[in-house]
Amino acid sequence: MTATMTLRKGKGSLKHNKRAFAAKNVDRKRTPLNKNIIDEDIKQVYDNLFGQALEEYNARQTRANRKINNYYEHISRSKQEKPFYELIVAIGDINNSDELNDRSVKILQEFVDEIKSKYSNNVKFFGAYIHMDEATPHLHLDYIPFCTNQKRGLKTRNSHNLAMKELGFTDYKEWHAELFEILEQIDKRYNVYRNNLHSEKRHNIDINTYRAVAQKLDGAIDDILEEKTKEIKPSNDLSKGEKTLGGKGVKSEVYDSVIDTANKLAKENATLTVEKQQLERQIDRQSEYLKEIENLDYRTENANLKSELAKSARIEREMQNAVLANNKLQREIASLSNENDNLQTEVKWYKDFLYQLGLTDLFEKFKQWRDRILDSLHELATKAIKQDLEEYYSYDNDYNDDIKMI
């Protein structure tokens, strides 16, 4: 059988793919039929892919502000790269999705298995989700492109363009074409052939442009029919057995043949008009379906991302402040250490001076006498404080007894 085949870029919403939230077009009763072929945590995947390269990069940095604390958050803030990319793959449309359901699932599973191993050197597929709870079965395929053996930045890092070049493609379009060939080959193994009516070129036509062209075509056809109708008029001035056609007299047989052909063309035109209207309705449904997919409620996800980015920025500022405070503390420690060295030098000088005067023993006796005086003063102060406390508690007890007697 023939069927449409779709392979296009997606916007990428992990929460939608994992059904953390559902759009209006999702049939919750069919959600248990969905299949998660691959479901890995993206942050853990980043640690596995880029962890060692990040560690080596940070070790080479001499300035703290050049280090990257979290590569996933670093790429999330990047204006050049995205944390991940997405492909949406579908077999068939709303007209034959029920007939293709089982085969579509098998085809999509084989497609994931084949390209996962084929491009593993530069593409990490971390999410593959088949949705059976929408208008047509389709696959959301999430991946991280990466390049290796880089001299600048991380040795292994996120880069779609460089990943394509390392795979041998000049750009994404060449890779997309090869992916489509793989998809078609798998389809043929299940006796499903691509419907040429829905070619890649036709899908790229803007719907508004198509409608404008169709409207002009309808007008041109009406003008031609009106003109030909005026031309074909019987005339009383004709010879017997002749009729007017195109302003000239022709035999009745020729006239009848032309009219018969015109009627057939009119019928074919009417049939084509009906088919065109059906196609327009189908395009409208597909357009609404695509709008529902593309206009999913990403606000919650965006809000969470903004919150994470703000938190990351706050942590980064706190770390920078901590680095500045640590540098200041190190300077203070160095200053105190220098001051301590100077004091130790002075103490040594005084000790040498006392030794030269023969006063070392006398100084030691002085220190012992000083320590005894300090101990005595401490003992006397302790006794005095203790005595004051005893008098205070005695007075307090007497006061409480007086209160009780009253």
Side-chain angles (χ1 to χ4, degrees):
M1 67 175 297
T2 60
T4 59
M5 299 178 193
T6 304
L7 196 157
R8 64 181 180 84
K9 292 180 182 179
K11 288 188 176 181
S13 173
L14 297 180
K15 290 186 177 180
H16 167 74
N17 296 348
K18 297 181 180 184
R19 285 295 182 259
F21 71 87
K24 294 180 180 179
N25 63 318
V26 172
D27 183 356
R28 280 295 191 182
K29 295 179 181 179
R30 292 162 56 194
T31 299
L33 299 176
N34 293 349
K35 296 182 181 296
N36 296 345
I37 303 174
I38 306 173
D39 185 19
E40 299 181 34
D41 180 71
I42 186 171
K43 294 183 179 180
Q44 185 62 48
V45 171
Y46 260 74
D47 288 341
N48 296 337
L49 270 180
F50 308 110
Q52 183 177 351
L54 178 63
E55 186 177 347
E56 293 173 355
Y57 169 82
N58 286 336
R60 296 196 303 268
Q61 305 309 308
T62 57
R63 292 166 51 188
N65 60 352
R66 296 280 298 174
K67 295 183 178 181
I68 300 173
N69 297 320
N70 187 306
Y71 190 58
Y72 173 75
E73 294 180 358
H74 175 76
I75 292 296
S76 298
R77 297 192 296 268
S78 173
K79 296 181 180 180
Q80 297 179 345
E81 304 293 347
K82 295 171 60 178
F84 72 97
Y85 298 80
E86 183 179 70
L87 294 172
I88 297 178
V89 188
I91 310 297
D93 53 34
I94 57 177
N95 295 321
N96 55 14
S97 60
D98 292 338
E99 184 180 357
L100 280 169
N101 268 355
D102 293 336
R103 274 189 282 185
S104 294
V105 172
K106 293 178 181 178
I107 290 170
L108 295 175
Q109 285 179 327
E110 283 195 25
F111 179 70
V112 172
D113 293 338
E114 185 163 339
I115 66 173
K116 179 183 177 183
S117 58
K118 184 177 179 66
Y119 304 113
S120 60
N121 289 338
N122 293 95
V123 179
K124 171 62 179 178
F125 295 99
F126 69 93
Y129 311 91
I130 297 179
H131 287 171
M132 306 292 290
D133 54 1
E134 297 180 51
T136 58
H138 58 277
L139 167 70
H140 290 269
L141 192 56
D142 302 319
Y143 66 94
I144 302 169
F146 61 93
C147 56
T148 59
N149 299 321
Q150 299 300 302
K151 295 180 179 179
R152 296 181 59 186
L154 274 68
K155 186 176 181 181
T156 301
R157 59 188 176 90
N158 179 319
S159 175
H160 205 295
N161 291 336
L162 293 178
M164 294 297 102
K165 289 181 180 179
E166 289 188 8
L167 286 171
F169 304 106
T170 57
D171 54 22
Y172 167 81
K173 290 182 180 179
E174 287 191 2
W175 186 51
H176 178 274
E178 184 169 287
L179 289 173
F180 215 108
E181 288 179 4
I182 295 172
L183 181 62
E184 280 193 284
Q185 291 172 3
I186 297 173
D187 286 337
K188 290 177 181 178
R189 293 202 288 266
Y190 287 89
N191 294 322
V192 178
Y193 298 90
R194 184 182 179 187
N195 189 340
N196 292 326
L197 177 64
H198 298 275
S199 64
E200 185 71 18
K201 185 175 182 181
R202 185 180 182 94
H203 277 172
N204 288 334
I205 296 177
D206 180 75
I207 292 175
N208 293 327
T209 304
Y210 168 79
R211 287 174 176 169
V213 173
Q215 187 175 2
K216 290 182 180 179
L217 181 60
D218 288 342
I221 292 172
D222 292 338
D223 292 340
I224 293 171
L225 289 175
E226 183 178 357
E227 183 179 351
K228 293 301 180 183
T229 303
K230 290 179 181 179
E231 291 179 356
I232 304 175
K233 289 185 177 179
S235 174
N236 295 327
D237 298 332
L238 297 176
S239 301
K240 187 177 181 180
E242 290 187 347
K243 294 182 180 180
T244 299
L245 181 63
K248 297 181 180 180
V250 297
K251 292 183 179 181
S252 298
E253 296 83 357
V254 176
Y255 177 86
D256 293 338
S257 176
V258 171
I259 294 299
D260 184 56
T261 302
N263 290 333
K264 289 180 179 179
L265 290 174
K267 290 180 180 180
E268 290 180 2
N269 180 64
T271 302
L272 290 174
T273 301
V274 172
E275 291 180 355
K276 182 172 72 67
Q277 292 173 349
Q278 292 176 348
L279 180 60
E280 285 182 343
R281 287 195 294 270
Q282 181 178 341
I283 290 174
D284 289 339
R285 289 195 297 270
Q286 292 286 1
S287 177
E288 292 175 0
Y289 168 67
L290 291 175
K291 285 180 180 179
E292 288 180 359
I293 292 179
E294 293 175 355
N295 297 326
L296 291 171
D297 187 10
Y298 293 111
R299 287 176 294 181
T300 302
E301 184 175 2
N302 290 338
N304 293 336
L305 181 58
K306 288 180 180 179
S307 176
E308 291 179 3
L309 291 177
K311 182 179 178 181
S312 175
R314 185 175 66 254
I315 293 173
E316 188 171 351
R317 287 195 301 270
E318 291 176 354
M319 292 187 66
Q320 290 176 350
N321 293 335
V323 170
L324 293 175
N326 180 65
N327 293 338
K328 182 180 179 181
L329 182 60
Q330 292 294 333
R331 290 194 297 271
E332 292 178 356
I333 291 173
S335 177
L336 291 173
S337 177
N338 185 49
E339 185 178 350
N340 182 59
D341 292 341
N342 293 335
L343 289 174
Q344 288 183 356
T345 301
E346 290 182 9
V347 169
K348 185 177 183 302
W349 185 88
Y350 282 118
K351 285 183 177 180
D352 293 341
F353 179 74
L354 292 172
Y355 178 77
Q356 291 174 2
L357 295 177
L359 300 175
T360 302
D361 294 338
L362 181 62
F363 181 70
E364 291 296 330
K365 290 180 180 179
F366 169 76
K367 287 199 300 182
Q368 294 175 4
W369 176 74
R370 181 200 61 187
D371 293 339
R372 285 198 298 271
I373 289 176
L374 291 175
D375 291 341
S376 299
L377 288 174
H378 181 267
E379 185 178 354
L380 289 173
T382 302
K383 288 181 180 180
I385 293 172
K386 185 177 181 181
Q387 184 176 358
D388 289 342
L389 289 173
E390 289 176 352
E391 290 179 357
Y392 168 77
Y393 285 125
S394 176
Y395 172 78
D396 186 58
N397 291 333
D398 293 342
Y399 175 78
N400 290 334
D401 290 341
D402 293 340
I403 292 298
K404 290 178 181 179
M405 290 177 65
I406 294 173

